[in-house]
Short mmCIF file of all heavy atoms in Angstrom, two decimals:
data_model
loop_
_atom_site.label_atom_id
_atom_site.label_comp_id
_atom_site.label_asym_id
_atom_site.label_seq_id
_atom_site.Cartn_x
_atom_site.Cartn_y
_atom_site.Cartn_z
N VAL A 1 -17.40 -54.13 116.45
CA VAL A 1 -18.15 -53.04 117.03
C VAL A 1 -18.10 -53.06 118.57
O VAL A 1 -18.30 -54.23 119.07
CB VAL A 1 -19.62 -53.01 116.59
CG1 VAL A 1 -20.41 -51.86 117.16
CG2 VAL A 1 -19.77 -53.08 115.09
N LEU A 2 -17.77 -52.06 119.23
CA LEU A 2 -17.57 -52.01 120.68
C LEU A 2 -18.67 -51.01 121.32
O LEU A 2 -19.11 -50.11 120.63
CB LEU A 2 -16.18 -51.54 121.04
CG LEU A 2 -15.05 -52.42 120.36
CD1 LEU A 2 -13.80 -51.52 120.56
CD2 LEU A 2 -14.93 -53.69 120.98
N GLU A 3 -18.98 -51.19 122.55
CA GLU A 3 -19.70 -50.26 123.26
C GLU A 3 -18.83 -49.16 123.87
O GLU A 3 -17.81 -49.53 124.43
CB GLU A 3 -20.55 -50.92 124.40
CG GLU A 3 -21.46 -49.84 125.05
CD GLU A 3 -22.36 -50.42 126.16
OE1 GLU A 3 -21.94 -51.47 126.79
OE2 GLU A 3 -23.37 -49.81 126.41
N ALA A 4 -19.18 -47.93 123.70
CA ALA A 4 -18.48 -46.74 124.23
C ALA A 4 -19.09 -46.40 125.51
O ALA A 4 -20.21 -45.89 125.53
CB ALA A 4 -18.45 -45.64 123.36
N THR A 5 -18.42 -46.65 126.67
CA THR A 5 -18.98 -46.34 128.00
C THR A 5 -18.22 -45.18 128.55
O THR A 5 -18.87 -44.55 129.50
CB THR A 5 -18.92 -47.57 128.84
OG1 THR A 5 -17.63 -47.98 129.04
CG2 THR A 5 -19.84 -48.73 128.32
N GLU A 6 -17.01 -44.88 128.13
CA GLU A 6 -16.25 -43.78 128.69
C GLU A 6 -15.67 -43.00 127.52
O GLU A 6 -15.31 -43.62 126.54
CB GLU A 6 -15.25 -44.26 129.64
CG GLU A 6 -15.64 -45.08 130.83
CD GLU A 6 -16.39 -44.09 131.85
OE1 GLU A 6 -16.09 -42.84 131.81
OE2 GLU A 6 -17.14 -44.67 132.64
N PRO A 7 -15.42 -41.68 127.75
CA PRO A 7 -14.72 -40.94 126.65
C PRO A 7 -13.31 -41.48 126.54
O PRO A 7 -12.64 -42.00 127.48
CB PRO A 7 -14.68 -39.53 127.23
CG PRO A 7 -15.82 -39.49 128.18
CD PRO A 7 -15.97 -40.85 128.81
N SER A 8 -12.81 -41.35 125.31
CA SER A 8 -11.48 -41.93 124.99
C SER A 8 -10.83 -41.20 123.79
O SER A 8 -10.85 -41.69 122.66
CB SER A 8 -11.49 -43.49 124.68
OG SER A 8 -12.53 -43.64 123.60
N SER A 9 -10.36 -39.98 124.03
CA SER A 9 -9.95 -39.07 122.99
C SER A 9 -8.75 -39.60 122.17
O SER A 9 -8.46 -39.06 121.10
CB SER A 9 -9.68 -37.68 123.60
OG SER A 9 -8.62 -37.73 124.53
N ARG A 10 -8.05 -40.57 122.80
CA ARG A 10 -6.87 -41.07 122.09
C ARG A 10 -7.03 -42.44 121.51
O ARG A 10 -6.10 -43.16 121.17
CB ARG A 10 -5.56 -40.97 122.94
CG ARG A 10 -5.19 -39.53 123.26
CD ARG A 10 -3.85 -39.50 123.99
NE ARG A 10 -2.70 -39.68 123.03
CZ ARG A 10 -2.13 -38.84 122.34
NH1 ARG A 10 -2.58 -37.46 122.33
NH2 ARG A 10 -1.23 -39.07 121.51
N GLY A 11 -8.26 -42.91 121.49
CA GLY A 11 -8.53 -44.24 121.05
C GLY A 11 -8.13 -45.29 122.17
O GLY A 11 -8.57 -45.10 123.29
N GLY A 12 -7.26 -46.35 121.80
CA GLY A 12 -6.97 -47.23 122.86
C GLY A 12 -7.59 -48.60 122.70
O GLY A 12 -7.23 -49.56 123.31
N ARG A 13 -8.79 -48.62 121.99
CA ARG A 13 -9.44 -49.92 121.89
C ARG A 13 -9.58 -50.14 120.32
O ARG A 13 -9.97 -49.23 119.54
CB ARG A 13 -10.88 -49.87 122.46
CG ARG A 13 -10.84 -49.49 123.97
CD ARG A 13 -12.30 -49.41 124.44
NE ARG A 13 -13.05 -50.72 124.40
CZ ARG A 13 -14.35 -50.77 124.57
NH1 ARG A 13 -15.08 -49.73 124.65
NH2 ARG A 13 -14.96 -51.97 124.56
N GLU A 14 -9.29 -51.39 119.97
CA GLU A 14 -9.29 -51.57 118.50
C GLU A 14 -10.65 -52.04 117.95
O GLU A 14 -11.30 -52.91 118.57
CB GLU A 14 -8.20 -52.80 118.12
CG GLU A 14 -6.83 -52.34 118.39
CD GLU A 14 -5.88 -53.36 117.93
OE1 GLU A 14 -6.25 -54.54 117.72
OE2 GLU A 14 -4.66 -52.97 117.71
N GLY A 15 -11.07 -51.38 116.93
CA GLY A 15 -12.37 -51.72 116.45
C GLY A 15 -12.68 -50.70 115.30
O GLY A 15 -12.08 -49.70 115.13
N ASP A 16 -13.82 -50.92 114.62
CA ASP A 16 -14.19 -50.07 113.57
C ASP A 16 -15.67 -49.55 113.75
O ASP A 16 -16.30 -48.97 112.86
CB ASP A 16 -14.01 -50.68 112.18
CG ASP A 16 -12.58 -50.71 111.85
OD1 ASP A 16 -11.93 -51.72 112.21
OD2 ASP A 16 -12.02 -49.84 111.12
N GLY A 17 -16.34 -49.82 114.89
CA GLY A 17 -17.51 -49.33 115.19
C GLY A 17 -17.72 -49.08 116.66
O GLY A 17 -17.10 -49.87 117.45
N LEU A 18 -18.40 -48.03 117.06
CA LEU A 18 -18.70 -47.76 118.53
C LEU A 18 -20.25 -47.43 118.59
O LEU A 18 -20.77 -46.69 117.77
CB LEU A 18 -17.85 -46.53 118.98
CG LEU A 18 -16.39 -46.75 119.20
CD1 LEU A 18 -15.77 -45.47 119.66
CD2 LEU A 18 -16.11 -47.88 120.26
N VAL A 19 -20.81 -47.89 119.67
CA VAL A 19 -22.28 -47.58 119.93
C VAL A 19 -22.28 -47.18 121.33
O VAL A 19 -21.52 -47.54 122.26
CB VAL A 19 -23.14 -48.69 119.63
CG1 VAL A 19 -23.04 -49.11 118.19
CG2 VAL A 19 -22.82 -50.03 120.51
N THR A 20 -23.30 -46.34 121.66
CA THR A 20 -23.46 -45.85 123.15
C THR A 20 -24.96 -45.63 123.32
O THR A 20 -25.72 -45.37 122.39
CB THR A 20 -22.73 -44.53 123.40
OG1 THR A 20 -22.86 -44.23 124.70
CG2 THR A 20 -23.21 -43.39 122.51
N GLY A 21 -25.40 -45.69 124.61
CA GLY A 21 -26.76 -45.68 124.94
C GLY A 21 -27.28 -44.38 124.95
O GLY A 21 -28.48 -44.01 124.91
N GLY A 22 -26.40 -43.27 124.93
CA GLY A 22 -26.78 -41.87 124.81
C GLY A 22 -27.10 -41.23 126.13
O GLY A 22 -27.45 -39.96 126.11
N ALA A 23 -27.03 -41.93 127.14
CA ALA A 23 -27.44 -41.22 128.47
C ALA A 23 -26.18 -41.21 129.43
O ALA A 23 -26.36 -40.67 130.51
CB ALA A 23 -28.54 -42.15 129.16
N GLY A 24 -25.04 -41.68 129.05
CA GLY A 24 -23.85 -41.70 129.93
C GLY A 24 -22.91 -40.54 129.66
O GLY A 24 -23.32 -39.60 129.03
N PRO A 25 -21.62 -40.74 130.06
CA PRO A 25 -20.60 -39.65 129.92
C PRO A 25 -20.19 -39.42 128.46
O PRO A 25 -19.60 -38.32 128.12
CB PRO A 25 -19.51 -40.09 130.76
CG PRO A 25 -19.62 -41.59 130.80
CD PRO A 25 -21.06 -41.87 130.84
N VAL A 26 -20.43 -40.39 127.58
CA VAL A 26 -20.04 -40.21 126.34
C VAL A 26 -21.12 -39.45 125.50
O VAL A 26 -22.20 -39.84 125.36
CB VAL A 26 -19.90 -41.56 125.47
CG1 VAL A 26 -19.71 -41.36 124.05
CG2 VAL A 26 -18.83 -42.31 126.17
N ARG A 27 -20.73 -38.16 125.01
CA ARG A 27 -21.70 -37.28 124.40
C ARG A 27 -21.52 -37.31 122.87
O ARG A 27 -22.42 -36.95 122.12
CB ARG A 27 -21.45 -35.91 124.86
CG ARG A 27 -21.79 -35.66 126.35
CD ARG A 27 -23.26 -35.84 126.63
NE ARG A 27 -24.05 -34.86 126.01
CZ ARG A 27 -25.37 -35.00 125.77
NH1 ARG A 27 -26.02 -36.03 126.23
NH2 ARG A 27 -26.04 -34.05 125.20
N SER A 28 -20.45 -37.90 122.38
CA SER A 28 -20.25 -38.00 120.93
C SER A 28 -19.18 -39.10 120.65
O SER A 28 -18.44 -39.54 121.55
CB SER A 28 -19.74 -36.64 120.44
OG SER A 28 -18.49 -36.36 120.93
N ILE A 29 -19.12 -39.54 119.40
CA ILE A 29 -18.19 -40.59 118.90
C ILE A 29 -17.49 -39.94 117.75
O ILE A 29 -18.15 -39.30 116.85
CB ILE A 29 -18.96 -41.84 118.48
CG1 ILE A 29 -19.66 -42.47 119.73
CG2 ILE A 29 -17.92 -42.81 117.96
CD1 ILE A 29 -20.59 -43.57 119.40
N VAL A 30 -16.23 -40.11 117.60
CA VAL A 30 -15.53 -39.53 116.47
C VAL A 30 -14.53 -40.62 115.98
O VAL A 30 -13.84 -41.43 116.70
CB VAL A 30 -14.67 -38.21 116.95
CG1 VAL A 30 -13.74 -38.47 118.07
CG2 VAL A 30 -13.89 -37.57 115.81
N MET A 31 -14.41 -40.62 114.68
CA MET A 31 -13.41 -41.53 113.98
C MET A 31 -12.96 -40.71 112.86
O MET A 31 -13.16 -39.57 112.57
CB MET A 31 -14.19 -42.74 113.52
CG MET A 31 -14.67 -43.69 114.57
SD MET A 31 -15.42 -45.09 113.89
CE MET A 31 -15.95 -45.97 115.52
N THR A 32 -12.18 -41.35 111.92
CA THR A 32 -11.68 -40.70 110.69
C THR A 32 -11.93 -41.73 109.54
O THR A 32 -12.07 -42.92 109.65
CB THR A 32 -10.12 -40.50 110.79
OG1 THR A 32 -9.40 -41.70 110.98
CG2 THR A 32 -9.78 -39.49 111.85
N VAL A 33 -12.04 -41.03 108.32
CA VAL A 33 -12.20 -41.75 107.08
C VAL A 33 -11.51 -41.13 106.03
O VAL A 33 -11.18 -39.87 106.13
CB VAL A 33 -13.67 -41.79 106.67
CG1 VAL A 33 -14.48 -42.80 107.54
CG2 VAL A 33 -14.36 -40.42 106.62
N ALA A 34 -11.15 -41.77 104.88
CA ALA A 34 -10.62 -41.16 103.79
C ALA A 34 -10.83 -42.15 102.48
O ALA A 34 -9.90 -42.73 101.95
CB ALA A 34 -9.07 -40.97 103.97
N ASP A 35 -12.07 -42.30 102.12
CA ASP A 35 -12.58 -43.18 101.00
C ASP A 35 -13.47 -44.31 101.70
O ASP A 35 -14.46 -44.70 101.07
CB ASP A 35 -11.56 -43.90 100.27
CG ASP A 35 -10.87 -42.92 99.21
OD1 ASP A 35 -11.55 -41.87 98.82
OD2 ASP A 35 -9.79 -43.25 98.81
N CYS A 36 -13.16 -44.72 102.87
CA CYS A 36 -14.16 -45.76 103.56
C CYS A 36 -15.36 -44.96 103.91
O CYS A 36 -15.38 -43.77 104.07
CB CYS A 36 -13.45 -46.29 104.80
SG CYS A 36 -12.11 -47.46 104.43
#
């Protein structure tokens, strides 16, 4: 699990969880699933 501090529309950091404080430039988190 990583902290998301900046938008990153193409990924670039390896992990399966992102968290953010909710007050910075990151307004949303997006991932993909297909059974997980």
Side-chain angles (χ1 to χ4, degrees):
V1 184
L2 307 167
E3 184 179 26
T5 57
E6 298 290 338
S8 53
S9 61
R10 297 188 71 88
R13 302 175 69 195
E14 291 188 342
D16 289 84
L18 289 176
V19 297
T20 184
V26 174
R27 298 292 296 163
S28 63
I29 299 170
V30 59
M31 295 181 180
T32 58
V33 291
D35 285 337
C36 291

